Amino acid sequence: MQPSERAAIVGVTGFIGRGLPALLARHGMATTGISRAGGGSVEGVDRWQSTDSMDFSGHRAIINLAGERIDRRWTEKNRRLFHESRVGLTTRIVEAIARLPEQERPEVLVNASAVGIYGDRGDEILSEEAAVGTDYMAGLCDDWEHAAQKADELGVRVVTLRIGVVLGPDGPAFEKLGRVIRLGLGGRLGSGKQWMPWVHHDDLRAAISHAVFSGSLRGPVNGSAPHPERNGDFTRKFAAALHRPAIFAAPAVVLRLVLGEFSTALLSSYRVVPSALERDGFRFRYPRLEDALGDLIR
């Protein structure tokens, strides 16, 4: 029996997940939403399940976007939340797949990851072949991807999508930065020389859809635009698009005092390029920051 044209989206109520059901519907694919509450209000979702009782029978694809937000202090309590919401939940997804008869298993698992897997690498250009980093964030992402890759042993094509900073209305990065710049308080973080991988939310959703329907894309995939920006240039261009100055700077020592270990994620340099997506024929609508800001601010 072949899986039906249905996808299960774990984390469908989140910023990226909310826009996926309508996109998948254009390809004739229905959506089962999976949330902690076992319900929600997302256009295009016609079935719901809880993360405590996941059943993927009758699904062609699983998309896992779940994960507690990491932009908070990395206390021991929060580290447990980060791990359970990523590695723990992904492990339970793979276990649910394993319970199905082989012929009823989904064809593909698209599992979120993050560019933080590379660690702070300066000016090094980071394709998917680059080595994994050694810091806390890199280790968390590496464990997350290993948990997802176990589905490959079950005959499921696995894509681990290493996501950068996502820009879009209602998105935390875009909204927070826009608010600060509109107040005239925007500026570089630390030296501003660190590379910042970003992606327009429409391109990220399109990349997820591409991963679902591509028969060849598998393994690590960088989910960011082809032209990353240095943090100082990113802030300057964002401010210019809003017709605001970007003259203030947040010194690294201040960020560390205010944000603790999370500041390392803001100060690290990730010069990430989406080699796997482009080799697989994916084309970005917004390959450059000016393109993305022009669309979003308009």
Side-chain angles (χ1 to χ4, degrees):
M1 182 181 97
Q2 291 296 318
S4 62
E5 292 299 299
R6 174 170 288 275
I9 304 179
V10 187
V12 71
T13 57
F15 167 50
I16 297 302
R18 289 194 299 269
L20 279 173
L23 182 58
L24 295 176
R26 296 176 200 166
H27 297 276
M29 182 170 277
T31 296
T32 299
I34 300 182
S35 66
R36 280 180 292 188
S41 179
V42 178
E43 184 180 356
V45 176
D46 64 345
R47 296 183 193 172
W48 287 94
Q49 293 182 19
S50 165
T51 52
D52 293 328
S53 55
M54 295 179 287
D55 179 4
F56 299 121
S57 57
H59 290 79
R60 173 179 169 180
I62 303 169
I63 301 167
N64 177 24
L65 303 173
E68 288 285 338
R69 284 175 58 175
I70 208 147
D71 56 344
R72 62 182 82 175
R73 284 189 172 271
W74 293 353
T75 63
E76 284 302 312
K77 178 182 177 181
N78 283 338
R79 287 188 185 212
R80 288 193 294 271
L81 284 173
F82 300 155
H83 188 276
E84 171 54 30
S85 64
R86 289 168 173 79
V87 184
L89 180 55
T90 300
T91 298
R92 298 205 307 274
I93 289 171
V94 174
E95 289 171 347
I97 294 172
R99 289 193 291 269
L100 294 173
E102 185 174 348
Q103 68 273 19
E104 295 182 20
R105 290 170 184 165
E107 294 178 5
V108 59
L109 167 63
V110 180
N111 205 86
S113 181
V115 296
I117 196 167
Y118 297 112
D120 186 3
R121 303 289 273 274
D123 289 339
E124 180 184 352
I125 297 174
L126 302 170
S127 70
E128 290 82 359
E129 287 73 35
V132 172
T134 58
D135 60 16
Y136 165 72
M137 190 68 187
L140 176 63
C141 292
D142 195 34
D143 290 345
W144 196 7
E145 292 192 10
H146 273 97
Q149 286 294 345
K150 290 186 181 299
D152 185 74
E153 301 167 11
L154 303 172
V156 177
R157 179 171 59 89
V158 178
V159 175
T160 50
L161 195 63
R162 297 171 174 176
I163 300 172
V165 177
V166 185
L167 303 180
D170 300 325
F174 185 77
E175 292 297 324
K176 285 182 180 178
L177 188 55
R179 192 177 309 124
V180 169
I181 289 175
R182 284 186 176 93
L183 292 172
L185 302 175
R188 60 178 170 80
L189 303 179
S191 71
K193 294 180 180 178
Q194 67 272 30
W195 289 94
M196 183 174 168
W198 61 272
V199 64
H200 190 291
H201 67 130
D202 284 347
D203 276 336
L204 180 59
R205 289 169 180 153
I208 293 170
S209 176
H210 179 89
V212 167
F213 295 104
S214 167
S216 53
L217 193 65
R218 66 190 316 131
V221 173
N222 288 337
S224 59
H227 301 284
E229 294 275 352
R230 292 188 187 274
N231 174 264
D233 293 333
F234 180 96
T235 307
R236 176 179 54 79
K237 291 178 180 182
F238 202 147
L242 290 172
H243 307 290
R244 295 289 190 274
I247 56 177
F248 294 96
V253 64
V254 173
L255 289 171
R256 292 188 183 103
L257 283 172
V258 173
L259 301 174
E261 289 175 288
F262 171 62
S263 64
T264 61
L266 300 177
L267 297 170
S268 293
S269 185
Y270 309 108
R271 194 177 182 182
V272 173
V273 293
S275 300
L277 273 173
E278 293 189 317
R279 279 197 308 267
D280 205 58
F282 182 78
R283 294 293 175 263
F284 288 82
R285 286 182 62 192
Y286 307 99
R288 296 186 180 275
L289 183 61
E290 292 87 345
D291 303 322
L293 292 174
D295 174 72
L296 294 170
I297 291 174
R298 181 178 66 249

